[in-house]
Amino acid sequence: QVQLVESGGGSVQVGGSLRLSCAASGHTTFCMAWFRQAPGKEREGVARIETGGPIMYADSVKGRFTISKDYAKNTLYLQMNSLKPEDTATYYCAADPRRCSVVTGVGPYVGRPSQYTYWGQGTQVTVSS
């Protein structure tokens, strides 16, 4: 089993920044990702990182968000800059013990929620103008 605990959400004004954290414990996870879900919308992939593999971003966040992982602390991060109102959502950390190429297939994809095995409880991000 893998436990994921997110933190770092909050309220910020347009153009501001936040850094989300996801502390992982339990089994090794090669493929980790951030998803988000706004009210009334489907959960969507934001960014994906793989041990020794490429980093993928959704087009909507490229150039503004940065995903990283501290392997010593087994903690995933999402640095979010130049935030927009449309970034308002509950952000979820997801993980899988398999390689990302197995989880989502080969390609520039963050993946679908159903493809990931483990999930955190979510942290709310609100961007106001």
Side-chain angles (χ1 to χ4, degrees):
Q1 289 292 325
V2 173
Q3 292 77 44
L4 303 173
V5 179
E6 301 103 331
S7 61
S11 296
V12 65
Q13 292 190 328
V14 170
S17 299
L18 283 174
R19 188 177 81 154
L20 305 182
S21 299
C22 172
S25 61
H27 292 307
T28 300
T29 52
F30 285 105
C31 189
M32 298 191 75
W34 288 99
F35 284 76
R36 65 185 181 186
Q37 188 167 18
K41 294 188 176 181
E42 293 186 354
R43 193 169 298 190
E44 63 174 359
V46 175
R48 183 192 90 184
I49 189 168
E50 177 176 27
T51 304
I55 291 175
M56 305 294 182
Y57 292 98
D59 288 342
S60 59
V61 306
K62 282 181 181 177
R64 300 188 299 123
F65 290 12
T66 302
I67 188 172
S68 62
K69 184 176 179 181
D70 185 328
Y71 290 91
K73 296 181 179 179
N74 206 16
T75 299
L76 183 71
Y77 300 100
L78 185 67
Q79 178 66 44
M80 305 185 294
N81 299 328
S82 302
L83 283 162
K84 305 175 181 180
E86 51 264 44
D87 294 319
T88 295
T90 300
Y91 284 71
Y92 297 90
C93 174
D96 200 282
R98 302 168 293 169
R99 290 285 182 185
C100 287
S101 58
V102 176
V103 176
T104 67
V106 177
Y109 314 119
V110 177
R112 300 187 304 274
S114 60
Q115 294 173 315
Y116 288 81
T117 303
Y118 302 107
W119 290 86
Q121 81 289 350
T123 185
Q124 178 67 36
V125 171
T126 302
V127 184
S128 57
S129 55

